[in-house]
Short mmCIF file of all heavy atoms in Angstrom, two decimals:
data_model
loop_
_atom_site.label_atom_id
_atom_site.label_comp_id
_atom_site.label_asym_id
_atom_site.label_seq_id
_atom_site.Cartn_x
_atom_site.Cartn_y
_atom_site.Cartn_z
N PRO A 9 2.35 23.57 4.29
CA PRO A 9 3.16 23.48 5.50
C PRO A 9 2.32 23.92 6.70
O PRO A 9 1.55 24.88 6.59
CB PRO A 9 4.32 24.45 5.27
CG PRO A 9 4.11 25.09 3.95
CD PRO A 9 2.91 24.49 3.29
N GLY A 10 2.44 23.21 7.80
CA GLY A 10 1.74 23.61 9.02
C GLY A 10 0.36 23.01 9.17
O GLY A 10 -0.30 23.20 10.18
N LYS A 13 0.39 17.52 8.64
CA LYS A 13 0.71 16.27 7.94
C LYS A 13 1.67 15.41 8.75
O LYS A 13 1.47 14.21 8.89
CB LYS A 13 1.41 16.54 6.60
CG LYS A 13 0.58 17.24 5.56
CD LYS A 13 1.30 17.28 4.21
CE LYS A 13 2.66 17.95 4.24
NZ LYS A 13 2.65 19.39 4.49
N ALA A 30 9.52 10.86 4.68
CA ALA A 30 9.33 12.32 4.74
C ALA A 30 10.58 12.97 4.17
O ALA A 30 11.65 12.92 4.79
CB ALA A 30 9.10 12.76 6.18
N THR A 31 10.44 13.56 2.97
CA THR A 31 11.63 14.10 2.30
C THR A 31 12.26 15.23 3.12
O THR A 31 13.48 15.36 3.14
CB THR A 31 11.30 14.57 0.87
OG1 THR A 31 10.05 15.27 0.89
CG2 THR A 31 11.22 13.40 -0.08
N GLY A 32 11.44 16.04 3.81
CA GLY A 32 12.00 17.10 4.65
C GLY A 32 12.91 16.52 5.73
O GLY A 32 14.01 17.03 5.97
N ASP A 33 12.47 15.44 6.39
CA ASP A 33 13.28 14.80 7.43
C ASP A 33 14.57 14.22 6.82
O ASP A 33 15.64 14.32 7.41
CB ASP A 33 12.51 13.65 8.11
CG ASP A 33 11.35 14.15 8.96
OD1 ASP A 33 11.30 15.37 9.23
OD2 ASP A 33 10.51 13.33 9.35
N LEU A 35 16.11 15.24 4.18
CA LEU A 35 17.02 16.33 3.81
C LEU A 35 17.70 16.92 5.05
O LEU A 35 18.89 17.23 5.03
CB LEU A 35 16.25 17.44 3.07
CG LEU A 35 15.76 17.09 1.67
CD1 LEU A 35 14.79 18.15 1.16
CD2 LEU A 35 16.93 16.95 0.70
N ARG A 36 16.94 17.07 6.14
CA ARG A 36 17.55 17.61 7.36
C ARG A 36 18.61 16.64 7.89
O ARG A 36 19.67 17.07 8.36
CB ARG A 36 16.48 17.88 8.43
CG ARG A 36 15.74 19.21 8.19
CD ARG A 36 14.75 19.52 9.30
NE ARG A 36 13.57 18.66 9.24
CZ ARG A 36 12.53 18.86 8.43
NH1 ARG A 36 12.50 19.91 7.63
NH2 ARG A 36 11.50 18.03 8.42
N ARG A 39 21.69 17.08 5.87
CA ARG A 39 22.41 18.30 6.26
C ARG A 39 23.21 18.07 7.53
O ARG A 39 24.34 18.52 7.64
CB ARG A 39 21.42 19.46 6.46
CG ARG A 39 20.89 19.97 5.15
CD ARG A 39 19.92 21.11 5.35
NE ARG A 39 20.55 22.27 5.98
CZ ARG A 39 19.96 23.46 6.08
NH1 ARG A 39 18.76 23.64 5.58
NH2 ARG A 39 20.57 24.46 6.66
N ALA A 49 21.24 21.02 -0.77
CA ALA A 49 19.86 21.37 -0.41
C ALA A 49 19.78 22.61 0.49
O ALA A 49 18.76 23.29 0.53
CB ALA A 49 19.20 20.19 0.29
N GLN A 50 20.87 22.87 1.20
CA GLN A 50 20.87 23.87 2.27
C GLN A 50 20.28 25.23 1.90
O GLN A 50 19.37 25.72 2.56
CB GLN A 50 22.31 24.04 2.73
CG GLN A 50 22.46 24.87 3.96
CD GLN A 50 23.83 24.65 4.59
OE1 GLN A 50 24.47 23.61 4.36
NE2 GLN A 50 24.29 25.61 5.33
N SER A 51 20.79 25.83 0.83
CA SER A 51 20.39 27.21 0.54
C SER A 51 18.91 27.27 0.15
O SER A 51 18.20 28.23 0.49
CB SER A 51 21.25 27.80 -0.57
OG SER A 51 21.13 27.00 -1.71
N TYR A 52 18.43 26.26 -0.58
CA TYR A 52 17.00 26.24 -0.97
C TYR A 52 16.13 26.15 0.28
O TYR A 52 15.15 26.87 0.43
CB TYR A 52 16.69 25.03 -1.85
CG TYR A 52 17.45 25.01 -3.15
CD1 TYR A 52 18.58 24.20 -3.30
CD2 TYR A 52 17.04 25.79 -4.23
CE1 TYR A 52 19.28 24.17 -4.50
CE2 TYR A 52 17.74 25.75 -5.42
CZ TYR A 52 18.85 24.95 -5.55
OH TYR A 52 19.55 24.92 -6.72
N MET A 53 16.50 25.25 1.18
CA MET A 53 15.68 25.03 2.37
C MET A 53 15.64 26.27 3.24
O MET A 53 14.58 26.67 3.73
CB MET A 53 16.22 23.85 3.18
CG MET A 53 16.08 22.53 2.45
SD MET A 53 16.86 21.18 3.33
CE MET A 53 15.67 20.84 4.61
N ASP A 54 16.78 26.89 3.43
CA ASP A 54 16.83 28.07 4.31
C ASP A 54 16.00 29.22 3.74
O ASP A 54 15.49 30.05 4.48
CB ASP A 54 18.28 28.50 4.56
CG ASP A 54 18.99 27.51 5.47
OD1 ASP A 54 18.28 26.68 6.09
OD2 ASP A 54 20.22 27.54 5.55
N ALA A 55 15.89 29.26 2.41
CA ALA A 55 15.11 30.35 1.79
C ALA A 55 13.62 30.01 1.74
O ALA A 55 12.81 30.84 1.35
CB ALA A 55 15.63 30.60 0.38
N GLY A 56 13.25 28.76 2.09
CA GLY A 56 11.84 28.34 2.00
C GLY A 56 11.47 27.90 0.60
O GLY A 56 10.29 27.76 0.27
N ASP A 57 12.48 27.70 -0.26
CA ASP A 57 12.22 27.26 -1.64
C ASP A 57 12.31 25.74 -1.74
O ASP A 57 12.84 25.09 -0.83
CB ASP A 57 13.25 27.88 -2.59
CG ASP A 57 12.97 29.35 -2.82
OD1 ASP A 57 11.78 29.72 -2.79
OD2 ASP A 57 13.93 30.11 -3.03
N LEU A 58 11.85 25.22 -2.85
CA LEU A 58 11.93 23.77 -3.04
C LEU A 58 13.32 23.37 -3.53
O LEU A 58 13.94 24.08 -4.33
CB LEU A 58 10.89 23.30 -4.06
CG LEU A 58 9.43 23.45 -3.65
CD1 LEU A 58 8.53 22.81 -4.71
CD2 LEU A 58 9.17 22.81 -2.30
N VAL A 59 13.77 22.25 -3.06
CA VAL A 59 15.02 21.66 -3.53
C VAL A 59 14.73 21.10 -4.94
O VAL A 59 13.63 20.60 -5.18
CB VAL A 59 15.45 20.53 -2.54
CG1 VAL A 59 16.64 19.76 -3.05
CG2 VAL A 59 15.72 21.14 -1.16
N PRO A 60 15.70 21.21 -5.90
CA PRO A 60 15.41 20.78 -7.27
C PRO A 60 14.90 19.33 -7.36
O PRO A 60 15.34 18.45 -6.62
CB PRO A 60 16.77 20.91 -7.98
CG PRO A 60 17.49 21.97 -7.20
CD PRO A 60 17.04 21.81 -5.77
N ASP A 61 13.97 19.15 -8.31
CA ASP A 61 13.30 17.85 -8.47
C ASP A 61 14.26 16.68 -8.63
O ASP A 61 14.04 15.61 -8.06
CB ASP A 61 12.37 17.89 -9.71
CG ASP A 61 11.14 18.76 -9.47
OD1 ASP A 61 10.76 18.96 -8.30
OD2 ASP A 61 10.55 19.24 -10.47
N ILE A 64 15.58 15.40 -5.36
CA ILE A 64 14.53 14.78 -4.54
C ILE A 64 14.14 13.41 -5.09
O ILE A 64 14.00 12.44 -4.34
CB ILE A 64 13.27 15.70 -4.51
CG1 ILE A 64 13.61 17.05 -3.87
CG2 ILE A 64 12.11 15.03 -3.82
CD1 ILE A 64 13.86 17.00 -2.40
N VAL A 65 14.00 13.34 -6.40
CA VAL A 65 13.57 12.07 -7.02
C VAL A 65 14.62 10.99 -6.77
O VAL A 65 14.30 9.85 -6.43
CB VAL A 65 13.29 12.28 -8.53
CG1 VAL A 65 13.12 10.95 -9.25
CG2 VAL A 65 12.05 13.15 -8.71
N LEU A 67 16.70 10.86 -4.26
CA LEU A 67 16.63 10.53 -2.83
C LEU A 67 15.48 9.55 -2.55
O LEU A 67 15.66 8.55 -1.84
CB LEU A 67 16.39 11.85 -2.06
CG LEU A 67 16.15 11.80 -0.56
CD1 LEU A 67 17.44 11.40 0.15
CD2 LEU A 67 15.70 13.18 -0.04
N VAL A 68 14.33 9.81 -3.14
CA VAL A 68 13.16 8.96 -2.90
C VAL A 68 13.34 7.58 -3.52
O VAL A 68 13.01 6.56 -2.91
CB VAL A 68 11.88 9.65 -3.43
CG1 VAL A 68 10.70 8.69 -3.44
CG2 VAL A 68 11.54 10.87 -2.58
N ASP A 84 5.30 11.78 3.07
CA ASP A 84 4.96 13.05 3.72
C ASP A 84 5.87 14.13 3.14
O ASP A 84 7.09 14.04 3.28
CB ASP A 84 5.18 12.89 5.24
CG ASP A 84 5.08 14.21 5.99
OD1 ASP A 84 4.71 15.22 5.39
OD2 ASP A 84 5.39 14.21 7.20
N GLY A 85 5.27 15.12 2.49
CA GLY A 85 6.08 16.20 1.91
C GLY A 85 6.65 15.84 0.56
O GLY A 85 7.50 16.55 0.02
N PHE A 86 6.19 14.77 0.00
CA PHE A 86 6.58 14.33 -1.34
C PHE A 86 5.38 13.63 -1.96
O PHE A 86 4.75 12.83 -1.25
CB PHE A 86 7.77 13.37 -1.29
CG PHE A 86 8.10 12.77 -2.63
CD1 PHE A 86 8.94 13.44 -3.50
CD2 PHE A 86 7.53 11.56 -3.04
CE1 PHE A 86 9.22 12.91 -4.75
CE2 PHE A 86 7.80 11.03 -4.29
CZ PHE A 86 8.67 11.71 -5.14
N PRO A 87 5.06 13.82 -3.22
CA PRO A 87 5.65 14.80 -4.14
C PRO A 87 5.18 16.22 -3.82
O PRO A 87 4.14 16.42 -3.21
CB PRO A 87 5.13 14.34 -5.51
CG PRO A 87 3.88 13.59 -5.23
CD PRO A 87 4.02 12.98 -3.87
N ARG A 88 5.98 17.19 -4.28
CA ARG A 88 5.64 18.59 -4.05
C ARG A 88 5.51 19.35 -5.35
O ARG A 88 5.20 20.55 -5.32
CB ARG A 88 6.74 19.23 -3.21
CG ARG A 88 6.38 19.42 -1.73
CD ARG A 88 7.53 20.13 -1.13
NE ARG A 88 7.36 20.79 0.11
CZ ARG A 88 7.63 20.26 1.30
NH1 ARG A 88 7.94 18.99 1.40
NH2 ARG A 88 7.58 21.00 2.38
N THR A 89 5.77 18.69 -6.47
CA THR A 89 5.60 19.33 -7.79
C THR A 89 5.02 18.26 -8.73
O THR A 89 5.13 17.06 -8.45
CB THR A 89 6.97 19.77 -8.38
OG1 THR A 89 7.77 18.59 -8.59
CG2 THR A 89 7.70 20.75 -7.49
N GLN A 92 7.62 15.77 -9.88
CA GLN A 92 7.91 14.76 -8.85
C GLN A 92 6.82 13.67 -8.84
O GLN A 92 7.11 12.48 -8.69
CB GLN A 92 8.00 15.39 -7.46
CG GLN A 92 9.26 16.21 -7.24
CD GLN A 92 9.33 16.81 -5.83
OE1 GLN A 92 8.66 16.38 -4.91
NE2 GLN A 92 10.16 17.83 -5.68
N ARG A 127 5.73 26.15 15.99
CA ARG A 127 6.21 24.77 15.99
C ARG A 127 7.61 24.65 16.59
O ARG A 127 8.49 25.47 16.33
CB ARG A 127 6.25 24.29 14.53
CG ARG A 127 6.52 22.85 14.36
CD ARG A 127 5.87 22.33 13.13
NE ARG A 127 6.47 22.86 11.90
CZ ARG A 127 6.05 22.51 10.70
NH1 ARG A 127 5.04 21.68 10.55
NH2 ARG A 127 6.63 23.01 9.64
N ARG A 160 13.00 25.36 13.94
CA ARG A 160 13.66 25.20 12.65
C ARG A 160 13.86 26.56 11.96
O ARG A 160 12.98 27.41 12.01
CB ARG A 160 12.80 24.31 11.74
CG ARG A 160 13.01 22.85 11.99
CD ARG A 160 11.95 21.99 11.35
NE ARG A 160 11.57 22.43 10.00
CZ ARG A 160 10.62 21.83 9.28
NH1 ARG A 160 9.98 20.80 9.76
NH2 ARG A 160 10.32 22.28 8.08
N ASP A 162 13.62 27.29 8.92
CA ASP A 162 12.59 27.58 7.93
C ASP A 162 11.20 27.70 8.56
O ASP A 162 10.21 27.90 7.86
CB ASP A 162 12.62 26.58 6.77
CG ASP A 162 12.37 25.15 7.20
OD1 ASP A 162 12.38 24.87 8.42
OD2 ASP A 162 12.14 24.31 6.31
N ASP A 163 11.10 27.60 9.89
CA ASP A 163 9.83 27.89 10.57
C ASP A 163 9.83 29.32 11.12
O ASP A 163 8.88 29.72 11.79
CB ASP A 163 9.60 26.92 11.74
CG ASP A 163 9.10 25.56 11.25
OD1 ASP A 163 8.70 25.44 10.08
OD2 ASP A 163 9.09 24.61 12.06
N THR A 167 10.32 33.22 6.72
CA THR A 167 10.38 32.15 5.72
C THR A 167 9.02 31.47 5.54
O THR A 167 8.75 30.90 4.48
CB THR A 167 11.42 31.07 6.15
OG1 THR A 167 12.56 31.74 6.65
CG2 THR A 167 11.85 30.21 4.99
N ARG A 171 7.22 29.93 2.16
CA ARG A 171 6.87 28.51 2.01
C ARG A 171 5.41 28.33 1.62
O ARG A 171 5.06 27.46 0.83
CB ARG A 171 7.18 27.75 3.31
CG ARG A 171 8.67 27.61 3.54
CD ARG A 171 8.99 27.06 4.91
NE ARG A 171 8.51 25.70 5.09
CZ ARG A 171 8.26 25.16 6.29
NH1 ARG A 171 8.43 25.88 7.38
NH2 ARG A 171 7.85 23.93 6.37
N VAL A 174 5.14 29.22 -2.05
CA VAL A 174 5.69 28.12 -2.85
C VAL A 174 4.67 26.98 -2.93
O VAL A 174 4.46 26.38 -3.98
CB VAL A 174 7.04 27.62 -2.26
CG1 VAL A 174 7.44 26.28 -2.82
CG2 VAL A 174 8.13 28.66 -2.49
N THR A 179 2.91 23.33 -5.45
CA THR A 179 2.40 22.05 -4.94
C THR A 179 0.89 21.92 -5.13
O THR A 179 0.39 20.84 -5.41
CB THR A 179 2.78 21.87 -3.45
OG1 THR A 179 4.18 22.07 -3.32
CG2 THR A 179 2.43 20.49 -2.95
P1 AMP B 1 9.19 19.91 5.21
O1 AMP B 1 9.82 19.38 6.44
O2 AMP B 1 8.42 18.85 4.44
O3 AMP B 1 8.38 21.15 5.45
O4 AMP B 1 10.38 20.33 4.22
C1 AMP B 1 11.32 21.32 4.59
C2 AMP B 1 12.02 21.86 3.33
O5 AMP B 1 12.71 20.78 2.67
C3 AMP B 1 11.09 22.44 2.27
O6 AMP B 1 10.77 23.79 2.54
C4 AMP B 1 11.95 22.28 1.02
O7 AMP B 1 12.98 23.25 0.97
C5 AMP B 1 12.62 20.94 1.26
N1 AMP B 1 11.79 19.82 0.72
C6 AMP B 1 11.19 18.82 1.44
N2 AMP B 1 10.55 17.97 0.63
C7 AMP B 1 10.72 18.44 -0.63
C8 AMP B 1 10.27 18.02 -1.92
N3 AMP B 1 9.50 16.93 -2.06
N4 AMP B 1 10.65 18.76 -2.99
C9 AMP B 1 11.44 19.84 -2.86
N5 AMP B 1 11.88 20.32 -1.69
C10 AMP B 1 11.53 19.63 -0.58
#
Side-chain angles (χ1 to χ4, degrees):
K13 294 188 303 292
T31 42
D33 291 347
L35 290 169
R36 280 184 287 279
R39 287 180 62 169
Q50 189 163 337
S51 58
Y52 299 101
M53 293 174 78
D54 288 346
D57 286 329
L58 294 185
V59 173
D61 288 336
I64 298 289
V65 168
L67 175 70
V68 169
D84 170 8
F86 174 87
R88 257 184 162 93
T89 63
Q92 287 181 19
R127 189 151 68 179
R160 278 166 41 182
D162 61 348
D163 282 347
T167 317
R171 289 171 65 203
V174 165
T179 307

